C-alpha cells in the first residue's frame, strides 16, 4: 500500500488508537481532514463485521448514503445487493466501505449531484481506509470502480485491462477490481446494462470463490 501523501490534508490526526470499528465510526464523524465535511450531513463509515473475508471499496457516499449514514443504500447499493445475492454472497457477512467518507456534491436545481472526489481528498481520507482494512482483516479487497481501484492498485491501473484479476501481496489482503454498480446504472442501453450486470455477478462469484479458497488451510 502506498503511504498517505500529504499530512497537512489528512484524516490521520482524527483517528483514535486501536481497531474498534464502532470507535472509528464515531470518530470519523468529527473528521476535518479535508473540507468535504462542510457540505455533508455526516460521515458515512464502512459497515460490516470484523473478520469479514471480503471488503468492498466504493468511491464515496451518494445522496441517500449521506442522509442515512450507511454505505451503498441508494440506487447503486440496491443493484449491488441484488448482484451480491445472485453471486451467493451474504451482504451481512462482508464489509462495505468507500475510499472517501463524505459526500461531495454540487447543486443542480433541487438535486445534489455527485461530484467526483479529487486526488487530495482521496489521499486525505486514506488513513480511515487503512485502519478499516487493518481492523477487518479481509482475505480479499474488491475495488468497485476506477477511483477505488486506482487508490489501491496505483493510478496506472486500468479496469479495461485488469478487471477481475486477483493481485496477491505479501502480508496484506489480495486485491481485485470490477466495475462500479453506478456505471452499470448509467448505461443508456438496456442490453448493455444486462450484459454488464451479468459480468459483474460473474466477477463477484470469482471474488467469493477466491476468498473461500484463501480461507482453506493450505
Ligand atoms: N457509490 C459509492 O461509491 N458508494 C456508496 O456508498 C454509494 C454509491
Amino acid at each position: 500500500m502506498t503511504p498517505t501523501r500529504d499530512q497537512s490534508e489528512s484524516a490521520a490526526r482524527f483517528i483514535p488508537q486501536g481497531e474498534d470499528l464502532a470507535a472509528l465510526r464515531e470518530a470519523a464523524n468529527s473528521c476535518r481532514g479535508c473540507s468535504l465535511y462542510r457540505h455533508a450531513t455526516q460521515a458515512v463509515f464502512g459497515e460490516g463485521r470484523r473478520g469479514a473475508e471480503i471488503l468492498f471499496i466504493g468511491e464515496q457516499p451518494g445522496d441517500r448514503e449521506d442522509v442515512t449514514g450507511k454505505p451503498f443504500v441508494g440506487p447503486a447499493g440496491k443493484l449491488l445487493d441484488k448482484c451480491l445475492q445472485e453471486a451467493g454472497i451474504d451482504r451481512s457477512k462482508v464489509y462495505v466501505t468507500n475510499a472517501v467518507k463524505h459526500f461531495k456534491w454540487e447543486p443542480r436545481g433541487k438535486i445534489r449531484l455527485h461530484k467526483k472526489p479529487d486526488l487530495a481528498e482521496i489521499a486525505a481520507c486514506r488513513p480511515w481506509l487503512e485502519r478499516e482494512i487493518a481492523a477487518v482483516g479481509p482475505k480479499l479487497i474488491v475495488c468497485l470502480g476506477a477511483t477505488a481501484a486506482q487508490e489501491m492498485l496505483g493510478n496506472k491501473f486500468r479496469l479495461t485491462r485488469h478487471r477481475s484479476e486477483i493481485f496477491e501481496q505479501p502480508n496484506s489482503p489480495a486485491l481485485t477490481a470490477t466495475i462500479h454498480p453506478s456505471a452499470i446504472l448509467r448505461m443508456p442501453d438496456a442490453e448493455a446494462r444486462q450484459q454488464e450486470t451479468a459480468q459483474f455477478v460473474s466477477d463477484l462469484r470469482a471474488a467469493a470463490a477466491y476468498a473461500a479458497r484463501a480461507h482453506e488451510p493450505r
Side-chain angles (χ1 to χ4, degrees), residues 137-172:
K139 301 273 187 294
L140 178 67
I141 294 172
V142 179
C143 302
L144 299 172
T147 299
Q150 290 182 352
E151 179 58 5
M152 299 306 294
L153 287 152
N155 59 9
K156 293 209 169 71
F157 181 87
R158 292 291 171 270
L159 260 180
T160 43
R161 271 192 238 144
H162 299 293
R163 177 172 173 169
S164 203
E165 270 179 49
I166 304 267
F167 297 90
E168 291 184 326
Q169 11 172 41
N171 306 319
S172 296

Side-chain angles (χ1 to χ4, degrees), residues 21 23 27 29 38 41 43 52 59 63 65 89 93 99-100 114-115 118 134 141 159 169 183 187 197-198 212:
L21 285 168
N29 244 334
R38 291 200 188 120
T41 308
E59 184 189 88
D63 183 80
E65 290 78 15
I89 300 172
K93 298 217 166 93
V100 169
H114 162 275
K115 202 167 171 206
D118 63 33
I141 294 172
L159 260 180
Q169 11 172 41
M187 289 175 180
T197 304

